[in-house]
Amino acid sequence: MEITKLFESNGAHKDEDLTNESYEFLCSLPKEKGWRTQNLYLYQGFWCQPKEIQATISAQNHFQAQDSDIMVASIPKSGTTWLKALTFAITNRNKYDLTKYHPLLDSNPHDLVPFLEYKLYADNKIPDLSNIGHPRLFATHIPLGSLPESIRSSKCKMVYICRSPFDTFISAWHFVNKIRPESYGPLEIEEAFDMYCRGVVGFGPHLDHMLGYWYECLAKPDKVLFLKYEDMKENLCFYLKKLADFLGCPFTLEEEKTGAVQEIGNLCSFKNMKELEVNQKGKGAIADFENKNLFRKGDVGDWVNYFTPMMVQRLANVMDEKLSGSGLSFKVF
Ligand code: PAP
């Protein structure tokens, strides 16, 4: 098949590019119907779209982590945008006076903390990262086992965020329905849910993704900080301090007294970020999607408005099976 036809058949735009080598490799992988592209392919044990596989391979071959780097990691729709904003605000807090100007007021967090696979190594690019100030902030949805080798072997720190699979599924389903090519029609919740429970979702199986980082955090707590969206919603100041400590830039007592922790929380709050012009009218923070799609409700427990009792039972069973004995759990009811 001609490469252009492959793009079209995968729902990608014609101006996107896959190398011949990537195309041949793709044809050798197991595939399933995709959520927003025609197919998802099973690469190194995780499900992924063609362009992201190519970018992942490129990152694996070319990205060189430095000891001072910070990597925000997650499975899609678990709070990545929020964690990027918080990480940027914490690590750059001595550079910007919040009463005057802050980059988060006119840039989407995805522009300030770029993804390896959607931005830096996308479209056959090999970026020059040598002139970025330290610490360099990057992000990825790539599962732990497929990260560029230097991320794991260097002292680079990783901050992972996960979220209850119930809410992550609902968030992903809504998002995909906003960005799917119109010609595909809506993605019905039953179909999406079946795929999700079978693990067929971008960068999934989602529970394997979480467990990869979870066990790495247990083995190397100085290397990986494992956060949960729900915990952060409940007690943000506590987790902001934990994050700052982990990243080696703890809040001083003076900062705590003068409300710096709270200020960062407010700057990055869902309400504040959703209302910014860059997030209402901007485009392209992730691929060519509208930024506003990254801010839907930002609630915990929205899944109750969508799940039937049978769906609850099925996902709870999948979670029991995968997570039992791991020490990782989520409050469901
Ligand atoms: P991504 O994987 O495409 O980057 P990600 O940011 O991980 O998406 O997840 C999006 C979810 O985080 C959305 O959840 P919802 O669909 O349940 O509403 C989005 O609303 C929520 N979100 C975005 N920004 C924030 C924020 N500042 N605080 C809390 N939640 C947020």
Side-chain angles (χ1 to χ4, degrees):
M1 196 197 296
E2 276 173 44
I3 291 187
T4 330
K5 293 223 177 85
L6 181 81
F7 303 149
E8 289 170 27
S9 68
N10 279 291
H13 299 291
K14 285 185 189 136
D15 57 354
E16 290 176 336
D17 203 9
L18 281 182
T19 61
N20 282 323
E21 202 187 7
S22 300
Y23 169 65
E24 277 166 26
F25 178 61
L26 203 60
C27 293
S28 71
L29 299 176
K31 67 177 180 187
E32 283 250 9
K33 189 176 166 190
W35 289 51
R36 65 178 173 87
T37 54
Q38 188 169 354
N39 295 311
L40 279 173
Y41 294 82
L42 190 65
Y43 170 65
Q44 295 188 339
F46 68 96
W47 292 101
C48 202
Q49 289 156 173
K51 284 190 61 174
E52 278 102 71
I53 295 176
Q54 183 175 291
T56 299
I57 294 171
S58 179
Q60 288 169 342
N61 290 336
H62 300 287
F63 180 73
Q64 277 305 317
Q66 299 179 359
D67 288 346
S68 57
D69 286 350
I70 295 168
M71 190 66 61
V72 170
S74 63
I75 189 129
K77 314 324 287 181
S78 45
T80 327
T81 312
W82 190 23
L83 181 59
K84 283 185 178 191
L86 294 169
T87 305
F88 181 90
I90 286 177
T91 54
N92 285 285
R93 68 185 187 273
N94 292 330
K95 266 198 211 156
Y96 304 106
D97 175 351
L98 276 178
T99 59
K100 293 191 178 127
Y101 165 75
H102 197 283
L104 279 164
L105 297 175
D106 60 10
S107 303
N108 180 275
H110 293 284
D111 292 321
L112 300 171
V113 186
F115 276 117
L116 299 181
E117 64 278 3
Y118 289 121
K119 228 352 90 94
L120 297 173
Y121 292 89
D123 305 320
N124 289 318
K125 284 183 299 209
I126 301 175
D128 176 7
L129 305 174
S130 57
N131 290 325
I132 304 181
H134 291 200
R136 306 185 306 175
L137 306 185
F138 302 114
T140 189
H141 286 323
I142 300 172
L144 185 93
S146 293
L147 287 173
E149 201 274 328
S150 61
I151 297 180
R152 292 181 75 185
S153 60
S154 68
K155 291 195 177 120
C156 140
K157 298 217 177 218
M158 288 189 272
V159 187
Y160 185 80
I161 185 161
C162 69
R163 184 180 189 187
S164 154
F166 284 73
D167 279 333
T168 309
F169 166 71
I170 291 300
S171 182
W173 173 67
H174 276 288
F175 182 72
V176 163
N177 270 318
K178 287 195 184 124
I179 60 163
R180 251 159 86 95
E182 256 177 47
S183 59
Y184 282 29
L187 175 62
E188 300 300 336
I189 194 164
E190 294 79 10
E191 185 184 0
F193 185 68
D194 178 63
M195 292 164 81
Y196 190 73
C197 287
R198 291 187 294 111
V200 184
V201 55
F203 300 96
H206 53 289
L207 295 172
D208 292 349
H209 196 284
M210 290 179 198
L211 284 173
Y213 285 91
W214 172 248
Y215 286 124
E216 189 77 347
C217 162
L218 294 183
K220 299 179 189 167
D222 295 337
K223 169 100 184 152
V224 182
L225 178 66
F226 193 95
L227 298 169
K228 288 187 193 156
Y229 184 93
E230 294 76 16
D231 293 344
M232 289 170 60
K233 276 275 183 181
E234 209 171 292
N235 194 351
L236 185 59
C237 282
F238 173 82
Y239 286 99
L240 288 190
K241 286 190 251 172
K242 194 166 175 162
L243 180 56
D245 288 348
F246 175 76
L247 296 176
C249 49
F251 288 100
T252 61
L253 279 179
E254 183 60 21
E255 281 182 307
E256 288 195 32
K257 264 195 235 151
T258 53
V261 186
Q262 193 60 49
E263 266 177 20
I264 287 180
N266 293 345
L267 172 72
C268 302
S269 72
F270 177 80
K271 189 173 176 305
N272 186 49
M273 299 200 74
K274 187 181 167 87
E275 281 167 10
L276 295 171
E277 187 171 339
V278 62
N279 296 326
Q280 296 232 339
K281 300 198 179 137
K283 241 189 134 177
I286 299 186
D288 58 353
F289 310 136
E290 291 179 86
N291 296 352
K292 67 179 181 195
N293 293 332
L294 292 162
F295 304 89
R296 191 182 64 93
K297 276 192 168 175
D299 281 346
V300 171
D302 188 38
W303 63 269
V304 295
N305 298 313
Y306 300 89
F307 272 59
T308 63
M310 272 175 70
M311 288 166 77
V312 174
Q313 198 52 57
R314 183 169 173 197
L315 186 51
N317 287 347
V318 173
M319 287 166 65
D320 272 356
E321 209 172 282
K322 282 262 182 180
L323 301 183
S324 76
S326 70
L328 177 61
S329 62
F330 295 90
K331 281 183 226 151
V332 175
F333 305 102

